[in-house]
Amino acid sequence: MKRIVVVLIAVLALAGVVTYMAPASGQADGEPSPIYGITIPPGYRDWKLIAVDQLLVPGKADQLRAQLGNDIAIKALKEGRVPFPDGTIIAAIHWTRVRSEDNDRVLAGPFPGAQSFVVGSPVNVQFMVKDSKKYAATGGWGFADFTDGKPGDQALHETCFPCHTPAKDRDYVFTHYAPQ
Amino acid sequence: MKRIVVVLIAVLALAGVVTYMAPASGQADGEPSPIYGITIPPGYRDWKLIAVDQLLVPGKADQLRAQLGNDIAIKALKEGRVPFPDGTIIAAIHWTRVRSEDNDRVLAGPFPGAQSFVVGSPVNVQFMVKDSKKYAATGGWGFADFTDGKPGDQALHETCFPCHTPAKDRDYVFTHYAPQ
């Protein structure tokens, strides 16, 4: 069966029909996060959008953020299914928030006083990986936090699960699926 | 060939391999936008993320926003290709920006003074559709703006192209692909 599926995928890829396979079927690469041993999932930047948000910690952080999910995550979120099934991965991408003078100039005509903020540079990217057996001690979730492709240290990763415990009734996931 | 592909897709769908097909192969539905005749592209909410941004027009608008692209759009953006090829569609989803007291409570411990803003309710969704022949008079782009699934009026749609002309050197697209 496996060989047949591979052949079928190859045929469809040649037909230009399958374009999303490569990232989802790729292998993890790079240095793993401490404690949880999670590497950056290939192709995560092309996952579907869960939601966006903004974080402001005056003097410390000023970010625009997006949460993306693999197919298992998106399906569970759309169905409102909790707990998330094993195999769920949620990615949280954080960028600096910067004022767009270009946009402001354009908006000034139709929308006087408009302020547009766009993403600046990458800050970090975080992952939650559901494996109810492997990560039984932390609610079934493994955590990872990467900056410039390098995982943060053990002390940083020790903060992940305690911080997520207030969202226990939503299986430790803060983000809600954005409507529309 | 078409029938073979359909059968192959059905086989792969049953095997749980193909999950992205339905939206991309669906047909447009609903009332079209004036001037351009664009309907809401099925499955757009599952397209890949281009970028996120924030718009603030004091007293009028306070939004978090995401731009998504179909496969043609994403490929062109990753390659830095301008002008965008025919078939490109870019979706801009706008939500109200609301303070998350839940998040603020959690963040207060590790990040005193932290302010978290998340998406509230949908405001509108806009589309840019590239068809260099059909929309030759407007830079090759057709525009559409929907609120609650209904297109805005002709007067609204007459503002789209003039507003986008300052981005002519980037083929009328303001949004840059977000790094990381």
Side-chain angles (χ1 to χ4, degrees), chain B residues 66-79:
Chain B
Q67 294 81 40
L68 310 180
N70 68 357
D71 286 351
I72 299 172
I74 296 293
K75 185 168 184 289
L77 285 160
K78 286 182 177 177
E79 293 171 353

Side-chain angles (χ1 to χ4, degrees), chain B residues 34 38 84 101 129 148 151:
Chain B
I38 294 168
F84 287 85
E101 293 180 6
V129 177
D148 284 333

Side-chain angles (χ1 to χ4, degrees), chain B residues 91-165:
Chain B
I93 311 178
H94 305 157
W95 298 275
T96 58
R97 183 185 75 129
V98 297
R99 188 83 178 260
S100 171
E101 293 180 6
D102 283 352
N103 289 358
D104 286 357
R105 254 192 304 274
V106 172
L107 292 162
F111 305 106
Q115 300 169 36
S116 171
F117 300 88
V118 297
V119 299
S121 52
V123 178
N124 64 337
V125 58
Q126 302 175 328
F127 299 96
M128 288 178 70
V129 177
K130 190 70 187 272
D131 185 328
S132 53
K133 285 181 186 164
K134 187 174 181 182
Y135 303 123
T138 48
W141 291 101
F143 298 86
D145 188 318
F146 297 89
T147 301
D148 284 333
K150 298 284 177 192
D153 63 15
Q154 178 158 342
L156 175 69
H157 283 82
E158 280 169 353
T159 66
C160 299
F161 181 62
C163 187
H164 275 261
T165 50

Side-chain angles (χ1 to χ4, degrees), chain A:
Chain A
M1 180 61 189
K2 198 172 179 184
R3 188 189 290 180
I4 294 170
V5 169
V6 169
V7 170
L8 290 176
I9 291 168
V11 169
L12 289 180
L14 285 170
V17 175
V18 175
T19 57
Y20 293 92
M21 295 305 304
S25 61
Q27 290 301 307
D29 199 10
E31 193 180 340
S33 65
I35 304 174
Y36 303 102
I38 293 168
T39 50
I40 295 176
Y44 75 88
R45 179 64 181 77
D46 285 333
W47 290 350
K48 294 172 182 171
L49 179 70
I50 299 171
V52 301
D53 73 307
Q54 179 196 356
L55 175 67
L56 180 63
V57 186
K60 289 190 177 176
D62 189 351
Q63 300 177 357
L64 287 174
R65 312 169 125 207
Q67 294 80 42
L68 309 180
N70 69 356
D71 286 350
I72 299 172
I74 296 294
K75 186 170 185 288
L77 284 161
K78 287 182 177 177
E79 292 171 354
R81 181 178 166 188
V82 172
F84 288 85
D86 283 2
T88 294
I89 311 181
I90 295 172
I93 310 179
H94 305 157
W95 297 275
T96 58
R97 183 184 76 129
V98 297
R99 188 83 178 260
S100 171
E101 292 179 7
D102 283 352
N103 288 358
D104 287 357
R105 254 191 304 274
V106 173
L107 292 163
F111 305 106
Q115 300 168 36
S116 171
F117 300 88
V118 296
V119 299
S121 52
V123 178
N124 64 336
V125 57
Q126 301 175 327
F127 299 96
M128 288 179 69
V129 176
K130 190 72 187 274
D131 185 327
S132 52
K133 286 180 185 165
K134 187 174 180 182
Y135 303 123
T138 48
W141 290 100
F143 298 85
D145 187 318
F146 298 90
T147 300
D148 284 334
K150 297 286 178 190
D153 62 14
Q154 178 158 341
L156 174 69
H157 283 82
E158 280 169 352
T159 67
C160 299
F161 180 61
C163 187
H164 276 260
T165 50
K168 187 179 178 182
D169 63 342
R170 290 190 283 124
D171 197 21
Y172 305 97
V173 173
F174 289 114
T175 302
H176 295 263
Y177 188 80
Q180 183 143 348

